[in-house]
Amino acid sequence: MLSSLISNGQAQTPDQLELRVPWWSFTKTVLAATALSLVRDGLIGLDDQIPDDPFTLRQLLRHEAGLADYGELAEYHAAVTNGESAWSADEMMQRLDGTSLRYSPGSSWRYSNVGYLLVGRLIERLTELTLDEAVLQRAISPLGLSNVRFAKTRADLQATHPECTLNYDPAWVYHGLLVGPVSQAALFLDRLLSADLLTTDLLQQMQAARTVGGPIPGRPWITTGYGLGVMQGAIGSGHSLCGHTGCGPGSVIAVYRIGDADASACCAVFEAGVNEGAVEARVVGRLMQVLQHRDENI
């Protein structure tokens, strides 16, 4: 297990030589922050209809656009299990019938990696940069991160933590797969939600979640919701956490922040060979320890 903890903006874990790990769907939070920087700069409105599509950026970021997800395809799971190379995005969309909406945009909710593929394409179109360049210039560098990049090939994953050296083609993550140290994931979320990359209004809208469910067996959430590229969950203590969990073949990462007017804490945990609930529980446990320690010292 690898973990990193930040309390009131200060790292609580010792500096160490860290290898990159796959950020899996925490990449969505980074993509959302990049997209919201376009809103900040007036390049698009959250509720503007995206050209040639029937949905808005807000609906894409909140998984409300009506899109399906390739995770529902049995042949996708079989191909990944067999270590096959990823299909092209066009082939994936054809197999999925991905251009056919499953519901009217805004009327329901359905988690969709395809939606974030389209977010990435929108970022490229509006910035006239590659997704790598846009994410680096608009999100990674402004928040002071380093050693974070997109994995493009199997070799890129072979260079990450030893527990991640499965025969997996990162191109299966169609919206892009960031890899970086666990400490940088925690730092990204903490600085994103507390710094001035985005306006206060945009941060509030990012965290305005659509409630999507109640307790999930084996996981720490009492209620669950989804904002703009972030998962929002209430836990048993009455606190609410904001962040994202990501999982892929053999490993899970969970990155969450808790904060109030007086204090904040952010924790990222990466672990191989376990499920999402186990990693989320470790994050919750560490965050609650920070709050308990704070209360004892007030």
Side-chain angles (χ1 to χ4, degrees):
M1 180 187 76
L2 300 174
S3 67
S4 180
L5 181 67
I6 298 172
S7 178
N8 291 330
Q10 301 299 313
Q12 303 298 300
T13 44
D15 291 337
Q16 54 188 343
L17 179 62
E18 288 186 276
L19 294 175
R20 296 186 183 101
V21 301
W23 286 8
W24 301 124
S25 277
F26 184 62
T27 302
K28 290 183 175 69
T29 302
V30 182
L31 292 176
T34 306
L36 289 172
S37 78
L38 305 180
V39 178
R40 176 201 66 198
D41 294 344
L43 297 178
I44 191 172
L46 263 176
D47 297 307
D48 293 347
Q49 185 171 315
I50 293 173
D52 303 319
D53 285 309
F55 37 72
T56 66
L57 176 58
R58 186 193 302 275
Q59 289 165 344
L60 277 180
L61 293 175
R62 288 217 319 188
H63 299 292
E64 296 175 330
L67 295 163
D69 185 69
Y70 49 84
E72 67 194 54
L73 296 174
E75 58 264 39
Y76 158 77
H77 293 284
V80 170
T81 300
N82 293 334
E84 297 177 19
S85 295
W87 310 319
S88 69
D90 287 343
E91 181 180 352
M92 178 274 291
M93 290 293 280
Q94 184 177 19
R95 287 173 180 257
L96 182 63
D97 188 21
T99 58
S100 297
L101 298 185
R102 275 39 176 190
Y103 58 86
S104 176
S107 67
S108 188
W109 186 90
R110 181 174 184 161
Y111 192 86
S112 176
N113 287 290
V114 170
Y116 275 77
L117 166 64
L118 300 185
V119 169
R121 289 176 173 176
L122 178 67
I123 290 169
E124 291 182 321
R125 187 161 70 244
L126 292 179
T127 62
E128 298 183 343
L129 299 170
T130 67
L131 187 60
D132 307 49
E133 293 168 336
V135 167
L136 179 66
Q137 291 181 21
R138 289 184 161 269
I140 299 296
S141 292
L143 291 179
L145 272 66
S146 60
N147 202 22
V148 178
R149 64 184 178 88
F150 281 97
K152 300 292 185 62
T153 67
R154 296 176 199 262
D156 291 335
L157 286 184
Q158 295 290 328
T160 62
H161 193 274
E163 294 176 329
C164 308
T165 55
L166 299 171
N167 186 28
Y168 177 75
D169 182 358
W172 283 117
V173 185
Y174 286 94
H175 58 59
L177 173 59
L178 284 171
V179 294
V182 171
S183 64
Q184 295 289 287
L187 194 63
F188 180 87
L189 184 64
D190 191 65
R191 289 181 174 175
L192 172 65
L193 297 182
S194 62
D196 57 0
L197 178 71
L198 302 175
T199 64
T200 300
D201 176 65
L202 282 175
L203 282 177
Q204 289 174 343
Q205 295 196 59
M206 188 178 199
Q207 297 172 80
R210 180 186 185 121
T211 300
V212 298
I216 303 173
R219 298 175 72 172
W221 313 115
I222 301 301
T223 61
T224 55
Y226 205 94
L228 305 181
V230 289
M231 295 178 173
Q232 298 268 122
I235 56 177
S237 63
H239 293 93
S240 179
L241 308 187
C242 177
H244 216 294
T245 301
C247 60
S251 62
V252 177
I253 187 170
V255 191
Y256 287 92
R257 187 176 187 270
I258 189 170
D260 55 32
D262 302 316
S264 67
C266 186
C267 182
V269 173
F270 172 88
E271 192 165 0
V274 296
N275 60 30
E276 295 163 287
V279 178
E280 290 169 345
R282 294 188 193 282
V283 170
V284 169
R286 297 207 68 188
L287 291 175
M288 295 313 298
Q289 285 177 353
V290 172
L291 293 186
Q292 182 179 3
H293 180 72
R294 181 202 67 179
D295 292 343
E296 290 172 350
N297 288 275
I298 291 178

